Amino acid sequence: MVPSTPFAQLSAGEERRTVSLPGVTLTVRRRPGREPGLPPALFVHGLGGSSSNWTPLMALLADALDGEALDLPGFGDAPPPDDGDHSITAYARVVIRYLDAAGRGPVHLFGNSMGGAIVTRVAAVRPDLVRTLTLVSPALPALRLQRTALPTALMAVPGAVPLYARLTRDWTPEQRTAELLALCYGDPSRATPDQFGAAVEEYRRRLTQPYCWDVMARSVRGLLDAYTLGGQHSLWRQAERVLAPTLLVYGSRDQLVSVRTARRASATFRDSRLVVLVGAGHVAMMEDPDAVARAFRDLLADTAKTSERSASPRG
């Protein structure tokens, strides 16, 4: 439930377009597969992040997937939704509406942090849209928040965000980016100078958006509200309903989603594989994209073997 580090610039081989749907405008970053006919994938970022959070992983998997990543409404280059609804349910509806409109489903669906909560809901209510589910530090409800996650949670308190904005108005984008890397990475030194510079420029641009802090506050409230839902709307209850083969990736040094929740997640998703990356933080797909790519390839191999066994004639 944290701001993911934003690297917004287009990298070589990427395309970007704007998609208008009723009530929302999305920005879609695409990394075409290296050959025609590769299966489609959709990547969903976390709180404060953008589609560019997935650029390293999308590049590594371009031989296996035709990848697209969304800027959710209010993040990246996408304006806020017309109705001002930043709940997890509203974001999940946006993802579903995009997949229905694009006709790309079923997709290999990825989500990080808040994006992990969003795509869990998508996979539960629309299994026809999902081939596999990959969750990197998914923001699923925990009995106790980590102390390092409390400042982010406090953004939901009325008046807290304007106060924070005033208290930090003299911070430079470089200072803000360094603080964010220290929070999101297990080892901030793994960000290259080019990545750090791109993140600074993205932070500088985001601070010029008049809705920046309001969207953050509303999204934090939306996530915390989702944590309080019970019954069939509970995120853990919906995780139980996910049919797609699921890869769970956690970082051992994640300061925002405790690795202690990994065991519960592994037991809850019915067809799951768990990978804990030693030394990684909250955004493993950025900090160690090679390891995440290897884990996803293993998931693909496992699901292919399962499909072959299912298709084999039985004596």
Side-chain angles (χ1 to χ4, degrees), residues 219-239:
S219 296
V220 173
R221 289 187 205 114
L223 185 56
L224 294 180
D225 285 346
Y227 282 13
T228 67
L229 295 176
Q232 64 178 345
H233 300 295
S234 159
L235 283 169
W236 284 115
R237 183 69 62 84
Q238 294 197 324

Side-chain angles (χ1 to χ4, degrees), residues 50-270:
S50 72
S51 59
S52 62
N53 294 163
W54 297 101
T55 287
L57 184 61
M58 289 170 68
L60 289 173
L61 293 176
D63 64 326
L65 301 173
D66 187 275
E68 290 187 342
L70 298 180
D71 283 338
L72 292 169
F75 296 101
D77 290 318
D82 292 351
D83 61 5
D85 190 345
H86 292 272
S87 66
I88 296 301
T89 297
Y91 283 138
R93 287 196 197 105
V94 167
V95 172
I96 289 169
R97 283 160 57 195
Y98 173 71
L99 288 173
D100 280 338
R104 282 170 55 85
V107 298
H108 295 285
L109 190 58
F110 293 71
N112 168 238
S113 191
M114 181 182 78
I118 293 166
V119 299
T120 294
R121 185 149 287 174
V122 172
V125 301
R126 287 293 303 275
D128 58 303
L129 293 176
V130 184
R131 298 186 187 209
T132 65
L133 185 65
T134 297
L135 305 176
V136 181
S137 293
L140 299 172
L143 292 177
R144 184 175 57 194
L145 287 177
Q146 295 194 118
R147 192 183 322 171
T148 44
L150 286 176
T152 303
L154 288 174
M155 295 180 76
V157 177
V161 168
L163 176 62
Y164 175 79
R166 287 197 302 273
L167 292 175
T168 62
R169 63 178 176 268
D170 294 328
W171 287 19
T172 66
E174 288 80 5
Q175 287 175 293
R176 295 177 187 274
T177 301
E179 290 289 327
L180 195 52
L181 284 173
L183 186 64
C184 292
Y185 273 50
D187 179 5
S189 69
R190 298 185 75 163
T192 67
D194 285 345
Q195 289 174 327
F196 184 82
V200 168
E201 290 309 308
E202 169 62 8
Y203 220 137
R204 194 188 313 276
R205 184 190 66 81
R206 184 158 177 77
L207 289 170
T208 66
Q209 296 170 333
Y211 50 79
C212 170
W213 295 115
D214 181 61
V215 167
M216 287 291 292
R218 288 172 182 263
S219 296
V220 173
R221 289 187 205 114
L223 185 56
L224 294 180
D225 285 346
Y227 282 13
T228 67
L229 295 176
Q232 64 178 345
H233 300 295
S234 159
L235 283 169
W236 284 115
R237 183 69 62 84
Q238 294 197 324
E240 294 174 348
R241 294 169 52 192
V242 172
L243 300 176
T246 301
L247 170 64
L248 300 163
V249 180
Y250 287 80
S252 69
R253 298 181 66 180
D254 192 331
Q255 300 181 66
L256 297 145
V257 170
S258 174
V259 70
R260 291 192 297 269
T261 64
R263 182 175 298 179
R264 181 178 181 184
S266 182
T268 302
F269 288 91
R270 64 178 70 189

